[in-house]
């Protein structure tokens, strides 16, 4: 048996296994979708019918009194209920009005609001408004009020945390579905918003947190308008499509310049190609979870990785003299020497994962260190609290040096760092780049206590107050004012690796903040990043959220040195090999 396994392990996997077809959901395969991208389309006759319905939709004001069959009303409501809703929240509620007294009261409210609106316009415009028939509340046999139940907190609905009004947009989509379905059945619909929302809500007894989107009149139309009514009455003109379609940005002369990026994310065909190939594996899609997504991201950049490089940058920090760490500054040099010898935890983790180690001395006491690459600042350095960490010239020089290192690195590029006090530096950078208060970014750190935490927080607050730096500041200036040499090196490594088409695996807070600086310099970088882990550092999860990255590992690590990134790289390399050996479906 072992001989058979050994023989098969070196050969190409079969590519004609029967594809597992789900009995629920989407049964299509990536290969079929790629062969016929238009295969989901309706036939031309259906498309033509849809186009006719869209173009024939009108806001009807005049109705016949004949009743609309209940089954037609139900079909119109069912179409509304089939509308898209953000987070599948379905916030709509349809109140069908059958009480004549409610309808009469609503018509009275609309008449009053129509007059009030007319008196707010110029005399001529007001008279023209009063000439228009704007609603058919009394004539239409069916009245429907669409209400939006907004009582679920926005943060609890997928998609509403960032755009809280998407529940209202969802209800508007439901109304459009009603409108088009009504038109297809020959039923007229008019959308009446001539109400004070509070008055209409009171009339219907709506609870707090439930808002109306107006009153819909449904009935057989007593008009056949060939074009929108307000257009026909010269109230407004239809704009051309060219007048309302913009390209990329708002064309204002005083608009801010578009963010420049000389680096480009992988093309859509590469991204789709990576997921298509994964779909052929003899396993359910994304069976490896986050690891599968990370591997797809990496394969969109280039071929499957077979190795990589840990770039380990180290530096001493003047801020350590302010009592922000539980360990002496001399530990930086000791750990760095061990790293150069391949005996630090970070270097050992890299070698175990099959990665090469590039050790960069960015200003470690006792240098130059034999076996390490030397990229040391030339100008005096500050402690953040009282003076800038680096000069602009040194920052730019170190960024350029990091770019060269990144371009020269092979395979997966893993970022690592060594430096007593650099969690304080990382927290200061995190606060400046995100705008989050130091009370939320400064963490306890390895071996620290409450007194050290208070000192670190005070140092970061003073540094931010001294520099006035924030999310809108130039990232190089932020790096110079609040960073450190290894942060500049690692930001440059990230840029250089991406320039060479290499994926970058992040480790802890310091490496992630460096990558955040790189994305501010070149937005296209983000597509090449993989979050190896989320550490114990308080600001790390925040920074990963700003990067839009989900970590592979969550081990509550404090090691630094790229250890978490190396462990993640090992998983990625194993997953790539496993994919290469896994059979494909035909």
């Amino acid at each position: 048996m072992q001989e058979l396994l050994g023989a098969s392990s070196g050969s190409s996997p079969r590519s004609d296994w029967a594809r597992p077809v789900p009995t629920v959901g989407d049964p299509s395969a990536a290969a079929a979708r790629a062969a016929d991208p238009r295969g989901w389309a309706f036939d031309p006759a259906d498309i033509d019918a849809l186009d006719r319905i869209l173009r024939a939709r009108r806001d009807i004001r005049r109705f016949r009194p004949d009743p609309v069959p209940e089954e037609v009303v139900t079909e119109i409501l069912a179409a509304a209920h089939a509308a898209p809703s953000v987070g599948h929240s379905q916030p709509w509620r349809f109140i069908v009005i059958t009480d004549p007294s409610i309808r009469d009261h609503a018509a009275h409210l609309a008449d009053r609001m129509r007059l009030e609106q007319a008196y707010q316009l110029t005399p001529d415009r007001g008279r023209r408004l009063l000439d228009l028939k704007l609603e058919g509340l009394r004539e239409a046999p069916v009245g429907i009020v669409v209400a939006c139940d907004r009582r679920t907190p926005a943060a609890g609905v997928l998609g509403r945390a960032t755009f809280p009004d998407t529940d209202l947009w969802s209800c508007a989509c439901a109304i459009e579905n009603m409108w088009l379905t009504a038109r297809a059945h020959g039923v007229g619909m008019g959308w009446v918003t001539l109400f004070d929302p509070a008055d209409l809500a009171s009339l219907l007894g709506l609870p707090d947190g439930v808002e109306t989107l107006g009153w819909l009149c449904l009935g057989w139309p007593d008009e056949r308008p060939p074009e929108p009514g307000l257009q026909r009455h010269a109230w407004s003109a239809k704009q051309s499509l060219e007048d309302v379609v913009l390209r990329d940005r708002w064309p204002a002369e005083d608009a801010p310049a578009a963010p420049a990026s000389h680096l480009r994310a992988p093309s859509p065909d590469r991204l789709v190609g990576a997921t298509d190939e994964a779909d052929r594996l003899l396993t359910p899609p994304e069976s490896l979870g986050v690891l599968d997504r990370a591997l797809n991201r990496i394969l969109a950049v280039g071929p499957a990785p077979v190795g990589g490089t840990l770039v380990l940058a180290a530096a001493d920090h003047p801020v350590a003299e302010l009592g922000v760490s539980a360990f002496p500054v001399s530990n930086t040099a000791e750990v760095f020497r061990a790293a150069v010898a391949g005996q630090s935890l970070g270097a050992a983790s890299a070698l175990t994962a099959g990665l090469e180690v590039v050790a960069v001395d960015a200003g470690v006491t006792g240098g130059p260190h034999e076996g390490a690459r030397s990229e040391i600042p030339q100008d005096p350095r500050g402690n953040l609290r009282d003076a800038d960490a680096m000069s602009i010239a040194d920052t730019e020089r170190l960024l350029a040096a990091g770019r060269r290192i990144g371009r020269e690195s092979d395979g997966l590029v893993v970022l690592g760092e060594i430096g007593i006090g650099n969690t304080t530096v990382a927290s200061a950078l995190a606060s400046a780049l995100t705008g989050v208060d130091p009370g939320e970014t400064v963490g306890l750190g390895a071996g620290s206590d409450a007194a050290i935490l208070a000192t670190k927080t005070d140092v970061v607050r003073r540094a931010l107050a001294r520099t006035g730096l924030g999310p809108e500041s130039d990232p190089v200036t932020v790096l110079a004012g609040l960073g450190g040499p290894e942060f500049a090196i690692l930001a440059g490594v990230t840029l250089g690796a991406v320039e060479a088409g290499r994926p970058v695996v992040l480790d802890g807070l310091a490496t992630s903040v460096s990558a955040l600086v790189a994305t501010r310099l070149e937005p296209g970088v983000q597509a090449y990043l993989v979050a190896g882990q989320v550490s114990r550092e308080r600001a790390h999860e925040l920074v990963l959220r700003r990067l839009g990255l989900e970590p592979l590992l969550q081990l509550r690590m404090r090691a630094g040195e790229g250890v978490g990134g190396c462990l993640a790289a090992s998983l990625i390399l194993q997953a790539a090999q496993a994919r290469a050996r896994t059979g494909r479906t035909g």
Side-chain angles (χ1 to χ4, degrees), residues 271-339:
L271 292 167
V272 175
T275 54
D276 280 356
E277 180 60 24
D279 193 64
R280 293 189 60 221
L281 295 172
L282 190 60
T283 184
E286 296 194 353
S287 55
L288 297 182
V290 181
L291 184 56
D292 258 333
R293 293 191 178 188
L295 194 52
N296 285 345
R297 193 182 188 95
I298 289 168
L299 294 175
V301 171
V306 293
T309 307
L310 169 64
V311 179
L312 193 55
D316 291 322
H317 291 275
V319 73
E321 300 169 1
L322 301 178
V324 297
S325 176
F327 296 94
V329 175
S330 60
N331 276 25
T332 300
E334 191 73 7
V335 175
F336 186 64
R337 284 193 293 269

Side-chain angles (χ1 to χ4, degrees), residues 181-372:
T181 305
R183 178 64 188 90
H185 284 277
V187 176
M189 188 177 109
W191 189 351
V192 184
T193 56
L194 290 170
F195 301 100
D196 181 311
D199 289 343
L200 185 55
S202 177
L203 175 63
L204 302 175
L206 302 184
D208 291 342
V210 178
E211 299 182 17
T212 70
L213 281 81
W215 182 297
L216 306 178
C217 300
L218 267 75
W220 304 111
D222 197 28
E223 56 179 330
R224 302 289 190 269
E227 57 188 9
L230 293 181
Q231 179 179 330
R232 190 170 69 256
H233 289 92
W235 182 266
S236 60
K238 179 73 172 178
Q239 297 185 66
S240 67
L241 182 62
E242 291 75 15
D243 291 336
V244 297
V245 175
L246 309 177
R247 302 294 179 185
D248 295 326
R249 291 174 63 80
W250 196 270
E253 293 183 1
D254 58 348
S261 181
H262 303 97
L263 302 175
R264 291 289 176 264
S267 62
D269 63 320
R270 292 195 64 89
L271 292 167
V272 175
T275 54
D276 280 356
E277 180 60 24
D279 193 64
R280 293 189 60 221
L281 295 172
L282 190 60
T283 184
E286 296 194 353
S287 55
L288 297 182
V290 181
L291 184 56
D292 258 333
R293 293 191 178 188
L295 194 52
N296 285 345
R297 193 182 188 95
I298 289 168
L299 294 175
V301 171
V306 293
T309 307
L310 169 64
V311 179
L312 193 55
D316 291 322
H317 291 275
V319 73
E321 300 169 1
L322 301 178
V324 297
S325 176
F327 296 94
V329 175
S330 60
N331 276 25
T332 300
E334 191 73 7
V335 175
F336 186 64
R337 284 193 293 269
V340 174
Q343 296 180 22
S344 72
L345 184 58
S349 298
L351 296 171
T352 301
L355 308 178
E356 297 183 4
V357 179
V358 174
V360 183
D361 178 1
V364 180
T365 301
H369 297 270
E370 186 177 352

Side-chain angles (χ1 to χ4, degrees), residues 7 11 14 26 138 153 176 194 206-207 217 234 253 261 281 317 345-346 358 409-410 412 432 446 465 473 561 567:
S11 59
R14 279 178 54 182
D26 180 8
R138 291 182 174 87
E176 180 72 357
L194 290 170
L206 302 184
C217 300
E253 293 183 1
S261 181
L281 295 172
H317 291 275
L345 184 58
V358 174
S409 300
D410 293 324
L412 294 176
S473 302
E561 302 181 45
L567 292 175

Side-chain angles (χ1 to χ4, degrees), residues 1-13 577-578 580-582:
M1 179 62 73
Q2 288 180 344
E3 291 178 359
L4 288 173
L5 288 173
S8 64
S9 63
S11 59
S12 299
Q577 291 185 43
R581 293 171 181 267
T582 301

Side-chain angles (χ1 to χ4, degrees), residues 6-156:
S8 64
S9 63
S11 59
S12 299
R14 279 178 54 182
S15 59
D16 59 347
W17 295 100
R19 174 178 173 265
V21 180
T23 58
V24 296
D26 180 8
S28 66
R33 297 192 296 269
D36 185 15
R38 299 175 181 269
W40 206 38
F42 285 100
D43 62 52
D46 289 335
I47 296 172
D48 183 60
L50 174 62
D51 182 69
R52 293 200 311 274
I53 293 170
L54 288 171
R55 294 180 185 277
R57 183 210 54 79
R58 295 289 179 265
D59 197 358
I60 298 299
R61 315 295 190 184
R62 303 178 186 278
F63 297 89
R64 303 300 306 165
D66 308 74
V68 179
E70 185 64 29
E71 60 271 20
V72 175
V73 174
T74 299
E75 189 163 343
I76 292 170
L77 291 172
H81 193 42
S85 63
V86 172
H88 203 232
S89 54
Q90 305 163 85
W92 43 69
R93 300 293 181 268
F94 307 110
I95 305 171
V96 181
I97 310 298
T98 57
D99 188 334
S101 64
I102 294 178
R103 183 191 61 192
D104 292 343
H105 194 160
H108 179 193
L109 292 175
D111 284 342
R112 187 179 70 193
M113 190 55 63
R114 174 169 165 269
L115 288 172
E116 289 186 8
Q117 186 171 354
Y119 288 132
Q120 294 174 15
L121 303 175
T122 63
D124 177 66
R125 196 74 166 171
R127 286 191 292 270
R128 291 183 60 195
L129 184 149
L130 295 176
D131 287 340
L132 298 172
K133 181 170 176 54
L134 297 179
E135 48 80 20
L137 275 78
R138 291 182 174 87
E139 298 95 330
V142 180
I144 298 175
V145 172
V146 178
C148 183
D149 191 341
R150 314 194 72 188
R151 291 175 292 182
T152 301

